[in-house]
Structure formats: C-alpha cells, structure tokens
C-alpha cells in the first residue's frame, strides 16, 4: 500500500487545484523514497475522482463512498480516515489548508496521537525524517518541524506552495475501497449557503487594498473597488478601516484577517504596520502608493509611488482601463 | 452551565527575535490577550449572562499571564485557572491540548469551551480541534455566529464562516467552539472592575495536579530550525514630475515585467 497519501478535494466533478499541487509534490516524495502515491477520496459519490487522481500521478486510490461523507463533518471524516489509516498505515497524509481541512487534519492528528503541521509551505523526507516548513508570527519566523516516529505525519499545506502535477491522460491505477465505519456524527449541518458578496481574497491573483490614508469610507468606495476592477482583481482593506466600519471584515488582510500571496498586491494609503505586512509580505509583487515617503510599506514594495491617493488612484484606474479595455 | 474560555497571551505585534536556542524573544513588545480569544471571552460572557453558572478562563503559560487573566475577570469572567509548570515549557499543540484536557476533566462539570480560531503568534489553529478530540466532545471551528445554546436540550446551534460559504450547524454539548473576529464586539472592562480584580491570584495547577507524566507531554513534532524569512528583493521608487507621469511609468513597468 502507498506510503504517501494525498487527500483529494473535489470541485464540481473534478479534483481541486490544491490536490493537483499535492499530487505533484507527493509524486516527487514517493519517487525519492521508493514508495507509492495514494489518493484519498471521501465522497457521497466518488464519480471519476479516482481516475482524475491517477491522471495527475496517483498509483492507488483509497475510496470511501458513503452518504455520510457527502457533507464534511469532523466526526464522519475522522472516523472514515482513522479506520483506513489503521488498516494501511501510511507514513504521510497531505491535505490543502482550507478551513475544513484545518479542522479535519488537526482533529485526525489528535485522534491518532500523531503530529500535525498546519499551513505548511514545504515538505521534506530526508534520511527517513519527515519535516515540514511552516511560517509563524506573521511570517517573521520560518519554522522547520521534525515529526517524531508516530505515523502518519499529517501536513496541511498552504495553497500555491507547489507546482501542479501535469496531466497524463490515460494513466491508470488501482482502486482500493474502504468501508464507512459505524460512528455517531454529533453535528448536523442544516444548510450551506454562499456568503453574500463573498470575496475569496486568498484565491485572487491581484488584490488592491485601501488603508486609512483614503481618509473616509466614501473615498474608499470611490477609489478602491473601481481600481480593483480595472486590474481585474479583488479588493482588500487594512484592519484600521475594517474596524472603523468602512468595509466588512471579509476584506481584511493581515494578522487578524486573511493571509494572501497574490501575483500583485497594490497597497493604497496603507502605512504598512507589521500586522498588515504579516498578511501580504509573501505577495510576488507589491505596489505601494502613499504620500508619506517614510511609510514602512515602501520597505517591502517592489514599486513605490509617493503621492496622494486622491491624485494617483483615479489616474491609475483610467490608465489601466485604457490598457486593458476593462 | 459552566463555560470555559481557553485564552492565550501573545505579543501585540510579531516583531519578535529568534533566540540561539530557537526560542522566541518578544521582550519590549506589549503583551495582550490573543485577539481571537478576546472574542471568545465576549461570547462566553454573552451565554453566561443568559444561562448563569460559571465562566472560567483557562490558560497554559507563565505566571506573568495572570495579568491577562485579570483583564478577562474584569470583563466579567467568574473564575480563572492557570496551568503552569516547568514541564510545560516546550509543549507542542498535542501536549498543550492534553494538559488542558486534563484540567477540564478535573473541573468536571464543563459544558462548553470557547477559544479563538488561532493565536496570532503560532497561528496554527490546531488547538481547538485537538482539544475537542482529546475530550471526546463535538467541535465547531471558525464560528462567526452562535445562534443558540440550549443547556437543557444539550445542543449548540451556530454558523461556521468558511472561505465562501456559511455552514449552519447544530452540535451536541459538550462542545469546543473556536470563534473568528467578527462574531461580536468585546466589551471594555471598567476601571472599577479592573481595580477590583487587581490582586486576584487564580489557582495554579501543575503537571502533578493534572496527573500528567513525561510520556503524556512528549512532543510528536519538534523544531529543527527556526530562521527569519528571506529578505524581499529590494524594490524601486517610481519617480516623475507629477502623479500622471508616475502612473504612466508604473503601468509600463508592470507590463514590461509581466506583472499584469
């Protein structure tokens, strides 16, 4: 049986991007240690998820299909996977760091008495030692955690940490089915409703953020969403403006908001308090626009523009609209 | 009913240093209640106000953490309990959850635990699920609204706020609930209340009081390296006579470097 397992997340009828990333990384780890790569599929109806996992590098799919698994519950998922793990004894289980999987990975680790690393950005196996790299303290500290001998090592991986596996159409593998063990599920999910005006900032490749330098909520609304639209991105906010009630919490980037790592982060009138930097410092490119040339945000900026947001932002919106036709 | 809030002390910001033995040096940074735990305290106070009984603040940390516990008492918590022992110095999440599980079991009559979704220093969010599992209780994580707590029917109904969805769930009590930031507006303790609790010294329980030995607290993950992040490549200031010129130059740079 495979030593390295990847939990397969479902989007529509296909496997999620994060699962393709983890299959890519899992394949490398499996090859370097001479192990097989397993895909862990839990679903009400598994459809073609196992086949899709084979196409992206899995050798074996462990599939548990049960009506109780159609909706995520901690009790149901922990029971199903704990039983599979006891039977097959994998060394490692990788999953993506969504809220549900943070809930699941941590609970499963405690259930089994094994270690868990949440929000990992890298995974290694060297000389039989499994380790995970995870940032803490708002990205100011990068920790490498070694797992003790208890197996499996459970690693909940931050999105966009690895390259996605390339698809190999026609690649096949073996399916192993598992049974849903008898268990009491103590939570009843009544409804799952999309958030109104939901923004998945974590998934956005361009984010335009407004801070206190905008001066007023009216100014924020006038300047930030249109600029985000011109860039084809989402809009975020600093804690100061969220706490002042200008924008819902949903949009907050930083230590007590969201941690984002887009291709482009445009910080407008954001001074760059350490709590804000914690949420965006790993962005690939950062544009900072601020009238104070000494603002700390300029220290992390790829491109800095010293100027009044009231002058710069409408011009930037116009320029982007012309360039992109949006 | 008896509600416990698990509360951690953290530095106000994360401009911390790494010590030679891979510890964290937060000296000179103000210490505060972990922000998410402050929301947990407020939520505990709300339901304690409705159903009465005790609201106990439980922390695992150094004696200095009593300062934050007193603040929670001033907000309205009825009791506080500090778990402190040299044996707790290097616990991983599982070890910390084991110690707090032992404390909650020793308290005996706890119905509900609130805590923050994560601490703002370690940021893993693994504590609440670990605690729930070790206690053998149900868990509700990332809760943005508690709709009802029914001690007689032994249920809690709440909204879990996920990335793009809101999940409405009913769980059986006892339960562990982790809360997010916009669940409520934490109250400020009055000066009078702060004065009143200034000399309160909560009981302190150590490993022996909890019946925990070395093997119970042995870590399953340990630090091998701890370093600051690589510095960001140095950036450039976009110069120009006026805003219009700077904007034009900026957009050209973004296009040339295939950022957009």
């Amino acid at each position: 049986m495979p030593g390295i397992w990847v939990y397969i997340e479902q989007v529509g009828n296909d496997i999620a991007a994060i699962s393709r990333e983890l299959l890519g990384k899992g394949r490398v780890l499996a090859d370097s240690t001479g192990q097989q790569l397993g895909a862990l599929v839990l679903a009400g109806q598994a459809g073609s998820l196992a086949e899709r996992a084979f196409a992206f590098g899995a050798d074996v799919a462990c599939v548990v299909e049960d009506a109780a698994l159609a909706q995520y519950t901690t009790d149901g998922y922990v029971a199903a996977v704990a039983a599979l793990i006891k039977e097959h004894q994998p060394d490692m289980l990788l999953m993506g760091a969504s809220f549900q999987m943070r809930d699941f990975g941590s609970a499963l680790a405690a259930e089994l008495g094994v270690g868990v690393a949440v929000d990992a950005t890298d995974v290694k196996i060297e000389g039989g030692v499994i380790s995970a790299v995870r940032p803490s303290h708002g990205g100011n500290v990068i920790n490498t955690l070694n797992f003790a001998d208890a197996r499996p090592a459970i690693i909940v991986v931050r999105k966009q940490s690895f390259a996605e596996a390339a698809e190999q159409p026609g690649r096949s593998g073996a399916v192993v089915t598992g049974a849903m063990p008898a268990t009491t599920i103590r939570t009843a999910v009544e409804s799952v409703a999309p958030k109104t005006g939901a923004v998945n900032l974590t998934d956005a490749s361009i984010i335009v953020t407004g801070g206190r330098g905008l001066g007023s909520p009216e100014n924020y609304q006038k300047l930030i969403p249109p600029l985000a639209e011109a860039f084809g991105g989402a809009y975020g906010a600093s804690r100061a403006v969220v706490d002042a009630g200008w924008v819902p919490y949903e949009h907050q980037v930083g230590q007590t908001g969201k941690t984002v790592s887009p291709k482009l982060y445009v910080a407008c009138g954001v001074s760059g308090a350490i709590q804000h930097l914690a949420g965006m410092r790993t962005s690939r490119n950062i544009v900072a626009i601020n009238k104070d040339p000494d603002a700390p945000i300029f220290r992390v900026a790829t491109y800095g523009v010293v100027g009044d947001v009231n002058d710069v932002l409408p011009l930037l919106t116009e320029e982007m609209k012309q360039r992109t036709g949006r | 009913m008896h509600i416990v809030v698990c509360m951690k002390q953290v530095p106000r910001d994360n401009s911390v240093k790494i010590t030679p033995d891979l510890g964290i040096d937060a000296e000179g940074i103000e210490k505060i209640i972990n922000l998410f735990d402050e929301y947990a305290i407020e939520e505990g106070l709300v339901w304690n106000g409705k159903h009465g009984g005790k609201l106990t603040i439980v922390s695992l940390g150094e004696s200095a953490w009593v300062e934050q516990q007193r603040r929670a008492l001033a907000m309205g918590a009825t009791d506080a309990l500090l778990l402190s022992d040299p044996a707790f110095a290097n616990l991983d999440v599982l070890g910390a959850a084991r110690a707090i599980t032992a404390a909650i079991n020793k308290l005996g009559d706890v119905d509900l635990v609130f805590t923050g979704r994560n601490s703002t220093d370690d940021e893993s969010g693994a504590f609440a699920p670990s605690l729930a599992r070790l206690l053998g209780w149900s868990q509700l994580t990332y809760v943005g609204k508690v709709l009802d707590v029914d001690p007689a029917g032994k249920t809690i109904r709440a909204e879990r706020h996920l990335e793009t969805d809101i999940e409405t769930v009913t769980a059986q009590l006892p339960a562990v609930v982790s809360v997010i930031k916009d669940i409520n507006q934490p109250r400020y303790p009055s000066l009078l209340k702060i004065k009143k609790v200034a000399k309160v010294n909560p009981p302190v329980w150590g490993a022996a009081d909890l019946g925990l030995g070395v093997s119970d607290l042995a870590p399953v993950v340990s630090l091998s390296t701890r370093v600051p992040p690589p510095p960001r490549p140095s950036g450039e200031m976009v110069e120009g006579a006026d805003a219009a010129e700077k904007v034009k130059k900026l957009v050209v740079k973004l296009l040339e470097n295939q950022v957009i």
Side-chain angles (χ1 to χ4, degrees):
Chain A
M1 281 305 289
I4 294 168
W5 286 11
V6 170
Y7 172 80
I8 300 297
E9 215 167 303
Q10 186 173 0
V11 173
N13 293 318
D14 205 350
I15 67 177
I18 178 68
S19 302
R20 294 196 293 272
E21 279 185 46
L22 296 179
L23 287 169
K25 183 65 183 180
R27 187 69 261 166
V28 172
L29 292 171
D31 288 344
S32 74
T33 52
Q35 301 186 86
Q36 284 191 309
L37 178 62
L40 177 58
V41 177
L42 305 185
Q45 287 182 319
S48 58
L49 289 179
E51 286 70 29
R52 295 299 291 155
F54 297 146
F56 288 97
D59 301 307
V60 178
C62 302
V63 180
V64 188
E65 229 176 353
D66 193 281
L69 300 174
Q71 167 68 44
Y72 173 79
T73 61
T74 314
D75 287 339
Y77 273 51
V78 166
V81 177
L84 276 179
I85 284 173
K86 275 174 195 145
E87 188 182 346
H88 299 299
Q89 308 204 338
D91 288 333
M92 184 191 285
L93 171 57
L94 301 174
M95 58 188 81
S98 61
F99 288 136
Q100 297 293 39
M101 291 299 107
R102 288 163 194 267
D103 179 285
F104 172 54
S106 308
L108 181 66
E111 176 76 15
L112 299 169
V114 302
V116 62
V118 182
D119 242 349
T121 54
D122 201 4
V123 183
K124 293 172 194 160
I125 307 179
E126 283 166 349
V129 177
I130 297 178
S131 61
V133 176
R134 70 171 295 266
S136 66
H137 297 80
N140 287 305
V141 177
I142 310 295
N143 310 281
T144 303
L145 298 173
N146 282 355
F147 285 82
D149 292 335
R151 293 285 179 266
I154 297 178
I155 305 175
V156 187
V157 178
R158 191 180 280 188
K159 276 182 189 175
Q160 291 176 29
S161 293
F162 305 119
E164 289 182 27
E167 185 171 359
Q168 304 167 63
R171 196 178 173 283
S172 65
V175 174
V176 176
T177 53
M180 179 72 199
T183 190
T184 308
I185 296 173
R186 294 163 297 181
T187 52
V189 178
E190 286 170 35
S191 67
V192 181
K195 283 183 189 169
T196 44
V199 277
N200 200 351
L201 278 187
T202 328
D203 284 348
S205 62
I206 298 179
I207 297 173
V208 177
T209 284
R212 204 163 13 195
L214 271 306
S216 69
E218 294 74 24
N219 237 11
Y220 181 100
Q221 288 305 333
K222 191 177 82 187
L223 297 173
I224 298 298
L227 181 57
E229 195 182 328
F231 270 110
Y235 60 94
S238 70
R239 178 180 174 180
V241 313
V242 169
D243 285 357
W246 297 8
V247 200
Y249 173 54
E250 191 85 339
H251 293 270
Q252 185 185 323
V253 173
Q255 181 171 295
T256 54
K258 288 179 172 144
T259 301
V260 298
S261 199
K263 189 174 180 195
L264 174 62
Y265 188 88
V266 185
C268 311
V270 174
S271 64
I274 187 163
Q275 291 92 335
H276 188 77
L277 300 184
M280 45 65 80
R281 63 183 299 153
T282 57
S283 302
R284 248 176 291 163
N285 297 278
I286 296 170
V287 169
I289 302 162
N290 202 300
K291 67 180 174 194
D292 174 8
D294 296 323
I297 190 76
F298 286 121
R299 281 181 231 144
V300 299
T302 325
Y303 305 105
V305 176
V306 177
D308 189 328
V309 285
N310 292 302
D311 301 331
V312 175
L313 299 190
L315 290 166
L316 184 55
T317 305
E318 205 42 50
E319 183 75 14
M320 282 304 300
K321 272 190 190 163
Q322 284 182 14
R323 296 271 182 176
T324 62
R326 277 195 189 93
Chain B
M1 73 186 305
H2 190 171
I3 298 173
V4 158
V5 174
C6 294
M7 182 196 87
K8 204 177 145 178
Q9 170 183 293
V10 295
R12 180 175 286 284
D13 69 60
N14 278 317
S15 57
V16 297
K17 294 185 186 71
I18 300 165
T19 63
D21 62 350
L22 306 188
I24 293 290
D25 175 5
E27 206 174 307
I29 308 172
E30 186 195 353
K31 304 301 183 296
I32 56 169
I33 295 174
N34 172 43
L35 182 123
F36 295 112
D37 294 344
E38 208 173 323
Y39 292 93
I41 296 166
E42 178 62 36
E43 202 59 30
L45 291 171
V46 167
W47 295 101
N48 173 259
K50 289 202 175 128
H51 297 305
K54 279 200 217 176
L55 173 62
T56 306
I57 306 296
V58 176
S59 304
L60 185 150
E62 294 158 24
S63 51
W65 287 28
V66 165
E67 279 300 312
Q68 310 309 333
Q69 292 201 316
R70 287 190 188 125
R71 186 176 170 86
L73 289 168
M75 285 172 75
T78 63
D79 295 84
L81 170 63
L82 182 66
L83 310 182
S84 198
D85 193 305
F88 298 159
N90 289 306
L91 296 184
D92 58 7
V93 169
L94 195 59
R98 281 202 176 115
I100 293 183
T101 296
I104 288 172
N105 284 335
K106 189 170 170 173
L107 288 172
D109 57 352
V110 179
D111 306 285
L112 179 58
V113 172
F114 284 113
T115 192
R117 55 165 279 185
N118 59 253
S119 59
T120 57
D121 53 0
D122 181 65
E123 301 185 305
S124 86
F127 171 72
S130 303
L131 179 68
R133 223 59 216 173
L134 294 180
L135 284 165
W137 295 5
S138 19
Q139 74 189 52
L140 293 174
T141 51
Y142 305 102
V143 166
K145 193 183 238 179
V146 177
L147 300 162
D148 190 32
V149 176
D150 177 2
K154 289 200 170 296
T155 56
I156 175 168
R157 190 162 165 263
E159 288 178 4
R160 299 181 62 222
H161 289 202
L162 307 174
E163 283 86 354
T164 54
D165 290 330
I166 293 180
E167 198 186 274
T168 305
V169 199
T170 300
Q172 289 172 18
L173 293 178
V176 176
V177 176
S178 82
V179 305
I180 64 168
K181 179 181 159 183
D182 64 353
I183 187 169
N184 56 41
Q185 195 56 54
R187 66 196 71 184
Y188 287 101
S190 70
L191 278 174
L192 188 71
K193 282 183 176 165
I194 290 172
K195 266 191 189 160
K196 227 170 144 184
V197 300
K199 291 201 172 90
V200 172
N201 281 309
V204 180
W205 292 355
D209 301 307
L210 298 171
L212 294 170
V214 175
S215 64
D216 299 306
L217 301 171
V220 283
V221 288
S222 56
L223 269 176
S224 75
T225 67
R226 185 170 239 180
V227 294
R232 281 192 70 87
S234 58
E236 57 172 303
M237 299 305 284
V238 180
E239 307 291 350
D242 56 15
E245 192 186 338
K246 288 179 188 174
V247 162
K248 283 210 186 319
K249 280 190 182 172
L250 171 67
V251 173
V252 168
K253 282 177 196 293
L254 293 176
L255 288 166
E256 277 176 359
N257 293 300
Q258 295 179 323
V259 177
I260 50 173

